[in-house]
Amino acid sequence: MDNLTEQHPAFMLEKVGAIVAAYVSRNAVDAAQLPDLIDQVHTAIADLRDKQGRGGPGYTGANAKQVEASIQHDGLISFIDGKPYKTLKRHLTAHGLTPERYRLQYGLPADYPMVAPGYAARRSEIARAIQLGHKAA
C-alpha cells in the first residue's frame, strides 16, 4: 500500500465507493453481486497503483538523499514525472494532488517546498523592488 492509502485508508474506500456507485447507477447489479464488484474494483486500483512503482511492499517514500536532490536552486524535481518545475502547485493540481497529499504520498517532510528556492528569492526581490505591500504616501 502506498503512503497515501496506508495512512488514509478511507481515501481508497471513498474512491472505490465512488466508482462502484457510478457503475451501479448505470448498470443493473444484483445485491448479491455487490461484494464481488467492490472487491474487483479495489483490486484493480491496487494493481494500477503497484504498476506505477508506488505502493509495493515495504515502500516508505523518498529517502533523505532523494529529497535533497529534488530541491535544486532553479527548480524542484517532481517525484511524479522526474521533470523540474519552478513551482509544483499547478503540476500537482493537474495530477489531482494537493501539496499535502503529494508530501504524504511520496514520504516527504511537512516543510518540503512547493516553490524552487531561486525562484522564490527572485520573486521576493521583485516584490521588494516595487515595494509590494507598502502603503503609498
Side-chain angles (χ1 to χ4, degrees), residues 103-115:
R103 289 179 181 119
L104 186 62
Q105 183 170 348
Y106 291 98
L108 303 172
D111 63 347
Y112 186 84
M114 290 292 119
V115 178

Side-chain angles (χ1 to χ4, degrees):
M1 223 179 245
D2 65 21
N3 283 348
L4 182 60
T5 55
E6 189 173 287
Q7 294 182 15
H8 297 289
F11 178 77
M12 178 74 149
L13 293 175
E14 178 184 322
K15 297 305 173 192
V16 169
I19 292 168
V20 170
Y23 181 81
V24 170
S25 72
R26 298 220 181 246
N27 298 281
V29 177
D30 188 54
Q33 295 174 317
L34 278 177
D36 288 336
L37 179 61
I38 292 169
D39 186 51
Q40 289 172 355
V41 171
H42 186 274
T43 301
I45 292 173
D47 288 347
L48 286 172
R49 187 183 57 233
D50 290 344
K51 285 179 185 175
Q52 290 178 343
R54 289 171 271 162
Y59 180 74
T60 58
N63 64 38
K65 281 187 176 184
Q66 291 171 322
V67 171
E68 186 178 332
S70 72
I71 303 171
Q72 299 178 354
H73 183 71
D74 289 327
L76 299 173
I77 305 300
S78 168
F79 285 95
I80 296 170
D81 62 8
K83 295 179 182 176
Y85 295 90
K86 291 179 183 178
T87 177
L88 288 176
K89 185 141 171 83
R90 186 177 294 166
H91 173 61
L92 297 181
T93 302
H95 289 278
L97 293 171
T98 63
E100 294 78 22
R101 283 195 171 159
Y102 177 73
R103 289 179 181 119
L104 186 62
Q105 183 170 348
Y106 291 98
L108 303 172
D111 63 347
Y112 186 84
M114 290 292 119
V115 178
Y119 183 68
R122 198 166 41 243
R123 299 294 295 176
S124 182
E125 288 172 15
I126 292 169
R128 275 194 294 277
I130 64 172
Q131 298 182 343
L132 189 65
H134 294 286
K135 293 185 179 184

